[in-house]
């Protein structure tokens, strides 16, 4: 759909017109959409063949029988001009025929088909209205008054057909649909006027040193290239600075929408609070701010759910089944009609419960009318989730500014979103349930083959070609069967339904040539479908947006990060400002790098590298005693933070401390996922413990900003290289073309040192903070490792003896 709010014109297909709704709607097929489209085409072809036989005499098809006839016309309604176009399946004399394949058994009473497939009736009626009201040069002989319309439903599994003749009432509903469109367009027009009138406060009343030029730097970078890699340390104020820049871009009309992605709920809440502060009405009414910005934080689907058990089998959920019919009288339109209506999760769940409508459907419906969407990475990059955004009416990525916070996590997060796991236990349970429900025999037989195959697999870091081919063949077969056979998903239940729907995702994964993939067996009966590298998919998505800013405290080294996001380049050249660098390649999108100036961090770190120990997996146990003694020495300065590569390593050193008779009160981070509990643990142990043992890469090390200014001494025990496993080996193999050392740097060293940089960045968050940090492993002094440390940590003293350590601590 394309529309111009300035000229009040709309251009779209008849299918999109018929399917448009302000409110909940049925799923469009998801991962099964391709199969169903192919099946639909099969029955279109089959019915075309039948029609040709029926109207062919002496080898000649009747002249007034046509197929796939293009129809285009213009409808003017309430000041808006709609241009609709499409192709009718069959035109026989004065009869229009549209063919639709369905998964349900036929025939059924007409009322059921009208209730379940209203968009099909609207589509055919729209063709009729266009032909009655608009002259069509390609059909000069068509008698508009004698026009007849037939909607032919075809049962997908058997080919049984049922024909329904449309009435004048159906054509009248086309104008009701136009009213729905006009309501949507007028609301979008209101949003445009709201953005133009938007006034907002600066993010900060006082700028920190280094923030003075950032607005101009961001503008320079984004005006030169559509993608900017923005690196600024923790505590710089990235969120506020970039929000201020983004709102300015929206006010100027360059972008009509802002999408802000971050993988942390704390990051999303920070964006919400900052937006509220910047756009809240001024109490004195001297500064304006009368048009508050409309924004929506999207929480995941399970958090919206108000069922006793989370599931999304539509017909089996009291809040999804029939929700489209309940919506018009529900009063839930207030969530997009009233800009001041609260829409926090508690309010959404309460409103959904009262109206018997899934709260997630309230979010889905309201998004189109909001200027800013705040969410997790998945809603833009994950194939199973991105439809929430990309299927929104009127959404145009080319008119959208995409902000990705904590972007250093993007490559691994997207690869994870494309990955899957299949287990023989799930397959056996599914097979038993399908057998109990007397599912179609072809599906049972195919699933039996799948179950035997999964059960036969033994742990392996890769599979032989013959086994991979068998997996390809079976997943394709099962995906086809699941999408074409009528199944009772309500009786099957949510868990088994998800297992069945997974076959479409597995088949899509296996046939996606843009992904680098690994099929392997982690343990007996578990088959892993692992995406080794999703760079091409990331790059393809980024190219859709009018602008994108990827920001983090740890994007360095830029070239490797850019390549991991599908932004591979050949050359670089410098812009006018020293802090901005351009990289470009004709076949890939160009990007700029922008490093925030932070003069207040100069000299804030006192770094030393401990050459006395090796922390490799094979040798670390020889140095547990030295590590324990070093922690004792650092503690003399007060509470310290000690970062380990893993829980097992931390526990081993903790035992070494206990065996040495140490009296240190050590707190090892617990395995907590709740942010409030994590924060409480940090606060309690900063007050009560002598040493905090934290794990690099965890939310304690990267997601909690409570250590800055409160922990003056820290120690990093080793560079936290990823575990050697089948996936890392596959990544090395995929990079064989760049050489062994370069591949090792990409797969192991960069992720490991990135965790170190993330952890240390949280020790100095504001002017006046200082930290004394011991990098406890001789590898930190090796050039290949040292070069990957952030610039603030690259100037260090070497510790070769106990005397060196004491002298450094005393400095």
């Amino acid at each position: 759909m394309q529309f111009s709010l300035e000229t009040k014109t709309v251009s779209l297909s008849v299918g999109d017109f018929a399917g448009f709704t302000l409110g909940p709607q049925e799923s469009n097929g998801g991962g099964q959409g391709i199969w169903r489209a192919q099946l639909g085409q099969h029955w279109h072809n089959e019915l075309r063949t039948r029609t040709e036989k029926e109207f062919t005499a002496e080898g000649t098809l009747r002249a007034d029988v046509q197929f796939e006839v293009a129809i285009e016309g213009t409808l003017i309604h309430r000041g808006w001009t709609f241009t609709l176009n499409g192709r009718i399946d069959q035109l026989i004399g004065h009869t229009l025929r549209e063919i639709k394949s369905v998964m349900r058994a036929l025939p059924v009473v007409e009322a059921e088909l009208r209730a379940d497939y209203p968009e099909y009736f609207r589509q055919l009626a729209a063709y009729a209205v266009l032909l009655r009201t608009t002259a069509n040069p390609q059909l000069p002989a068509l008698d508009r008054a004698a026009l007849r319309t037939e909607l032919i439903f075809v049962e997908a599994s058997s080919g049984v057909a049922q024909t329904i003749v449309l009435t004048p009432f159906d054509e009248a509903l086309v104008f009701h649909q136009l009213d729905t469109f006009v309501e949507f367009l007028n609301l979008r027009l209101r949003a445009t006027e709201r953005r133009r009138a938007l006034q907002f406060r600066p993010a900060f009343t006082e700028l920190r040193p280094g923030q003075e030029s950032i607005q101009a730097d961001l503008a320079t970078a984004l005006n030169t290239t559509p993608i900017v890699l923005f690196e600024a340390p923790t505590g710089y104020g990235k969120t506020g600075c970039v929000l201020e820049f983004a709102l300015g871009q929206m006010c100027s009309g360059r972008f009509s929408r802002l999408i802000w992605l971050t993988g942390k709920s704390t990051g999303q809440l920070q964006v919400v609070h900052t937006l509220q502060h910047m756009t809240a009405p001024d109490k004195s009414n001297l500064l304006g701010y009368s048009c508050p910005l409309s924004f929506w934080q999207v929480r995941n689907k399970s958090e919206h759910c108000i069922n006793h058990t989370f599931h999304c089998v539509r017909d089996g959920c009291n809040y999804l089944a029939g929700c489209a019919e309940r919506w018009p009288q529900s009063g839930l339109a207030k969530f997009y009609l009233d800009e001041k209506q609260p829409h926090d999760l508690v309010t959404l769940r309460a409103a959904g419960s009262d109206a018997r409508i899934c709260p997630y459907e309230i979010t889905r419906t309201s998004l189109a009318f909001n200027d800013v969407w705040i969410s997790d990475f998945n809603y833009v990059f994950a194939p199973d989730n991105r439809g929430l955004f990309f299927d929104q009416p009127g959404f145009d990525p080319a008119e959208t500014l995409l902000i990705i916070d904590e972007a250093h996590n993007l490559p691994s997060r997207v690869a994870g979103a494309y990955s899957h796991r299949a287990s023989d236990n799930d397959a056996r349970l599914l097979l038993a349930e399908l057998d109990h429900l007397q599912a179609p025999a072809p599906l049972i037989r195919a699933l039996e083959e799948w179950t035997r195959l999964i059960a036969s697999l033994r742990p392996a870091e890769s599979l032989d070609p013959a086994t991979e081919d068998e997996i390809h063949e079976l997943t394709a077969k099962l995906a086809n069967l699941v999408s074409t056979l009528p199944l009772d998903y309500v009786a099957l239940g949510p868990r088994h339904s998800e297992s069945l729907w997974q076959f479409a995702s597995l088949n899509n994964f296996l046939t996606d040539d843009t992904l680098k993939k690994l099929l392997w067996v982690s343990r007996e009966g578990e088959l892993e479908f692992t995406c080794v590298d999703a760079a091409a998919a990331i790059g393809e998505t980024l190219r859709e947006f009018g602008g994108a800013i990827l920001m983090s405290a740890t994007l360095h080294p830029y070239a490797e990060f850019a390549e991991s996001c599908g932004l591979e380049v050949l050359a670089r050249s410098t812009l006018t400002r020293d802090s901005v660098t351009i990289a470009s390649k004709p076949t890939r999108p160009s990007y700029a790098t922008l490093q925030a100036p932070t003069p207040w961090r100069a000299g804030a770190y006192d770094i030393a590298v401990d050459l006395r120990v090796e922390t490799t997996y094979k040798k670390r146990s020889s140095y547990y005693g030295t590590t324990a003694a070093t922690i004792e020495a650092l503690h003399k300065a007060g509470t310290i933070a000690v970062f380990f590569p893993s829980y097992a390593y931390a526990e081993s050193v903790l035992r070494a401390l206990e065996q040495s008779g140490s009296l240190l009160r050590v707190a090892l981070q617990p395995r907590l996922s709740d942010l409030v509990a994590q924060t409480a643990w940090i606060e309690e142990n900063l007050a009560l413990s002598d040493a905090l043992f934290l794990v690099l890469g965890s939310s304690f090390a990267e997601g909690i900003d409570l250590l800055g200014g409160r922990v003056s001494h820290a120690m990093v025990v080793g560079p936290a290289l990823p575990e050697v496993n089948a996936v890392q080996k596959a990544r090395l193999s995929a990079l064989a073309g760049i050489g062994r050392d370069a591949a090792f740097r990409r797969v192991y060293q960069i992720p490991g040192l990135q965790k170190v940089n993330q952890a240390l960045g949280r020790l100095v968050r504001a002017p006046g903070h200082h930290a004394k940090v011991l990098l406890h492993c001789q590898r930190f002094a090796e050039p290949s490792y040292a070069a990957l440390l952030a610039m603030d940590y690259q100037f260090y003293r070497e510790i070769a003896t106990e005397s060196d350590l004491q002298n450094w601590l005393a400095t």
Side-chain angles (χ1 to χ4, degrees), residues 128-315:
V129 170
L130 289 175
L131 288 177
R132 293 189 196 279
T133 59
T134 305
N136 195 319
Q138 296 180 340
L139 303 171
L142 187 67
D143 185 347
R144 301 180 187 180
L147 200 63
R148 173 185 170 89
T149 49
E150 296 179 352
L151 184 56
I152 302 176
F153 288 91
V154 183
E155 184 181 330
S157 60
S158 66
V160 172
Q162 180 176 351
T163 301
I164 296 178
V165 179
L166 267 62
T167 68
F169 177 75
D170 292 301
E171 295 184 26
L173 291 179
V174 171
F175 296 93
H176 179 73
Q177 183 73 347
L178 287 170
D179 282 336
T180 302
F181 254 102
V182 168
E183 180 185 359
F184 165 75
L185 293 166
N186 285 337
L187 287 170
R188 288 299 304 270
L189 188 60
R190 184 184 74 170
T192 300
E193 294 168 351
R194 180 178 62 229
R195 288 193 302 273
R196 289 174 178 170
L198 177 66
Q199 294 176 295
F200 57 90
R201 300 175 181 83
F204 306 105
T205 55
E206 295 183 9
L207 297 179
R208 281 185 179 176
Q211 291 180 340
E212 303 91 347
S213 64
I214 197 61
Q215 297 299 317
D217 289 345
L218 285 166
T220 299
L222 199 62
N223 287 338
T224 307
T225 62
I227 298 174
V228 177
L229 310 184
F230 176 39
E231 186 175 68
T234 302
Y236 176 80
K238 293 187 293 294
T239 299
C241 290
V242 175
L243 268 178
E244 185 174 329
F245 173 75
L247 294 184
Q249 294 287 301
M250 293 176 72
C251 285
S252 70
R254 179 173 179 181
F255 299 105
S256 62
R257 179 169 280 116
L258 168 65
I259 295 179
W260 190 290
L261 305 180
T262 177
K264 299 187 301 184
S265 58
T266 51
Q268 295 176 21
L269 291 174
Q270 184 183 4
V271 175
V272 169
H273 294 155
T274 305
L275 277 173
Q276 289 172 336
H277 163 72
M278 294 176 68
T279 62
D282 180 58
K283 294 181 179 180
S284 65
N285 204 30
L286 297 176
L287 299 178
Y289 314 120
S290 59
C291 298
L293 192 71
S294 181
F295 60 87
W296 198 282
Q297 181 191 2
V298 181
R299 306 295 288 269
N300 65 51
K301 187 179 290 188
S302 62
E303 290 182 277
H304 285 78
C305 184
I306 48 180
N307 269 318
H308 55 83
T309 302
F310 170 63
H311 65 86
C312 285
V313 179
R314 181 169 290 269
D315 292 337

Side-chain angles (χ1 to χ4, degrees), residues 231-427:
E231 186 175 68
T234 302
Y236 176 80
K238 293 187 293 294
T239 299
C241 290
V242 175
L243 268 178
E244 185 174 329
F245 173 75
L247 294 184
Q249 294 287 301
M250 293 176 72
C251 285
S252 70
R254 179 173 179 181
F255 299 105
S256 62
R257 179 169 280 116
L258 168 65
I259 295 179
W260 190 290
L261 305 180
T262 177
K264 299 187 301 184
S265 58
T266 51
Q268 295 176 21
L269 291 174
Q270 184 183 4
V271 175
V272 169
H273 294 155
T274 305
L275 277 173
Q276 289 172 336
H277 163 72
M278 294 176 68
T279 62
D282 180 58
K283 294 181 179 180
S284 65
N285 204 30
L286 297 176
L287 299 178
Y289 314 120
S290 59
C291 298
L293 192 71
S294 181
F295 60 87
W296 198 282
Q297 181 191 2
V298 181
R299 306 295 288 269
N300 65 51
K301 187 179 290 188
S302 62
E303 290 182 277
H304 285 78
C305 184
I306 48 180
N307 269 318
H308 55 83
T309 302
F310 170 63
H311 65 86
C312 285
V313 179
R314 181 169 290 269
D315 292 337
C317 173
N318 292 331
Y319 300 97
L320 286 172
C323 66
E325 290 74 23
R326 292 192 295 275
W327 180 270
Q329 289 76 41
S330 68
L332 296 178
K334 65 185 179 182
F335 284 98
Y336 60 80
L337 292 175
D338 183 0
E339 296 163 345
K340 298 180 180 179
Q341 168 65 41
H343 49 75
D344 56 275
L345 202 56
V346 173
T347 302
L348 289 176
R349 287 166 58 90
S353 179
D354 292 341
R356 285 201 310 120
I357 290 177
C358 174
Y360 195 70
E361 294 302 317
I362 304 175
T363 288
R364 186 196 304 277
T365 300
S366 302
L367 274 177
F369 307 101
N370 282 265
D371 304 307
V372 182
W373 300 343
I374 306 162
S375 76
D376 184 79
F377 297 154
N378 286 344
Y379 291 101
V380 170
F381 291 98
D384 292 339
N385 305 102
R386 71 195 306 264
L388 180 68
F389 283 5
F390 284 79
D391 293 342
Q392 286 293 324
F395 172 62
D396 184 358
E399 296 181 357
T400 302
L401 176 60
L402 176 67
I403 307 295
I404 305 174
D405 195 8
E406 300 295 328
H408 64 278
N409 291 321
L410 182 64
S412 60
R413 282 290 311 276
V414 178
Y418 276 93
S419 300
H420 305 276
R421 172 182 294 160
S423 75
D424 65 336
N425 183 57
D426 288 343

Side-chain angles (χ1 to χ4, degrees), residues 703-717:
I704 298 180
D705 299 324
L706 298 176
L707 302 182
R710 302 172 71 181
V711 172
S712 61
H713 286 62
M715 177 172 162
V716 180
V717 184

Side-chain angles (χ1 to χ4, degrees), residues 13-15 18 41 44 48 51 64-72 84-100 119-131 136 138-139 142 147-152 164 166:
S13 71
V14 173
Q41 188 60 47
H44 276 69
R48 173 172 179 161
T51 302
D64 61 351
V65 177
Q66 302 178 59
F67 303 97
E68 298 295 330
V69 180
I71 297 177
E72 183 173 350
L84 306 180
N85 61 81
R87 290 182 179 273
I88 191 72
D89 292 329
Q90 298 182 5
L91 176 59
I92 304 171
H94 303 298
T95 300
L96 297 175
R97 285 183 177 176
E98 185 70 11
I99 300 165
K100 298 295 182 183
E119 67 277 14
Y120 293 166
F121 289 86
R122 285 195 295 262
Q123 182 176 352
L124 180 55
Y127 283 127
V129 170
L130 289 175
L131 288 177
N136 195 319
Q138 296 180 340
L139 303 171
L142 187 67
L147 200 63
R148 173 185 170 89
T149 49
E150 296 179 352
L151 184 56
I152 302 176
I164 296 178
L166 267 62

